[in-house]
Amino acid sequence: MRRLAVVLVLLALLLDGFGPVPPASARQAVVTRALALARGIDRPLPTTLWHRVRLTGRHPIILFSHGLGGLPRQFAPLAEGWAEAGYVVAAPAYPHTNGRVRVDRHDIVNQPADAAWVIKAVRALDRAAGDPLAGHLDVDRVVAVGFSAGGTTTLGLFGPGHPAYLRAGVAISGRRPIAYGGPAAPLLFLHGDRDRVVPLRAGLDAYSSAPFPAKQFVTLQGARHGEFLRPGDARYARVSGRILAFLQANVPVAGLRSLYPE
């Protein structure tokens, strides 16, 4: 009976998207923080932050958006990797689509405004006396990354009139937003060719309708809907590496010292 209980606990953890425990070096180098944010009484936006324990210089911001029924903690391995690379990662739990509420997919249309609000709140920490991020945020260089409904949310940020500090975006298994517009920005699209939740053709439509010249579409052969974002999947290293390479090519971290000096 005890053995069965242990198996059930392990299965629950896997289904919850935790994946393997990050290496000790990552846990020691990166701090996780929680911000109690809200865009109005009916739009709570509790936000998880990941950043280096020791901050020097200025660090670009990554806004990460989860999918339907998701939570920021499920993507901790990705976020910790970006934080190790020198980015400050902010991931809100959206009020009507996160894993602790009854999901309302019709609320996705409101999430780009939520994401923009969280970005504004995080940027303000650069001027917040006493905050660990004060004086260390590169507030003029922000990247948006998202998975599934979060990918659609990400693309929705690149609508008409979006701020120039939104420099690049990554949409993973997402759909076309209501509208694109504003300053041109590099966009990376990744999509599995066996995705039955958001079909490949939906991702291709999101890509083809984007008016920005610097865009890339990567088809993940044999991949379904997001299993490649789990560290235990054989494609995780390649996919996470491709995303990080895109981030570093388009929004590099300037003058960053290695976490592991010789």
Side-chain angles (χ1 to χ4, degrees):
M1 193 70 178
R2 183 178 179 183
R3 183 177 180 182
L4 176 60
V6 171
V7 171
L8 290 175
V9 169
L10 290 174
L11 179 59
L13 289 174
L14 288 173
L15 291 175
D16 203 26
F18 280 93
V21 176
S25 59
R27 296 197 303 272
Q28 294 167 2
V30 173
V31 64
T32 304
R33 299 170 53 195
L35 298 180
L37 302 180
R39 187 171 72 95
I41 192 169
D42 62 337
R43 300 204 71 82
L45 291 163
T47 298
T48 305
L49 291 181
W50 289 266
H51 59 77
R52 284 185 165 199
V53 174
R54 297 180 180 178
L55 295 169
T56 59
R58 296 279 180 172
H59 300 256
I61 300 166
I62 295 177
L63 188 287
F64 180 81
S65 298
H66 63 75
L68 294 179
L71 289 167
R73 68 181 184 184
Q74 294 172 328
F75 302 90
L78 273 176
E80 287 170 350
W82 298 333
E84 278 195 274
Y87 297 91
V88 172
V89 185
Y94 291 104
H96 301 296
T97 63
N98 75 76
R100 295 194 179 100
V101 300
R102 184 174 181 177
V103 171
D104 179 7
R105 65 179 60 248
H106 298 294
D107 196 58
I108 298 171
V109 68
N110 298 312
Q111 291 185 174
D114 290 335
W117 194 91
V118 172
I119 291 171
K120 181 179 179 181
V122 173
R123 291 175 77 241
L125 294 178
D126 189 59
R127 304 183 304 277
D131 191 274
L133 294 176
H136 291 296
L137 289 173
D138 192 343
V139 297
D140 291 327
R141 296 197 304 149
V142 179
V143 185
V145 183
F147 165 66
S148 194
T152 305
T153 299
T154 293
L155 296 175
L157 282 167
F158 293 88
H162 77 75
Y165 61 69
L166 192 58
R167 297 297 185 94
V170 181
I172 308 163
S173 308
R175 295 180 183 272
R176 180 178 179 174
I178 292 176
Y180 289 106
L187 296 177
L188 172 64
F189 298 76
L190 300 103
H191 216 111
D193 64 354
R194 295 187 181 179
D195 192 334
R196 294 184 179 180
V197 178
V198 180
L200 178 63
R201 64 177 179 274
L204 288 169
D205 178 57
Y207 166 78
S208 62
S209 61
F212 310 138
K215 58 182 181 179
Q216 308 170 41
F217 193 94
V218 177
T219 301
L220 303 174
Q221 300 295 330
R224 298 185 296 277
H225 191 66
E227 75 281 1
F228 48 85
L229 295 179
R230 300 175 189 145
D233 188 272
R235 292 159 292 196
Y236 175 79
R238 179 167 56 88
V239 173
S240 61
R242 183 66 180 264
I243 295 171
L244 182 57
F246 174 84
L247 298 176
Q248 292 175 326
N250 291 283
V251 188
V253 181
L256 187 67
R257 294 180 181 177
S258 172
L259 281 173
Y260 313 107
E262 297 296 331

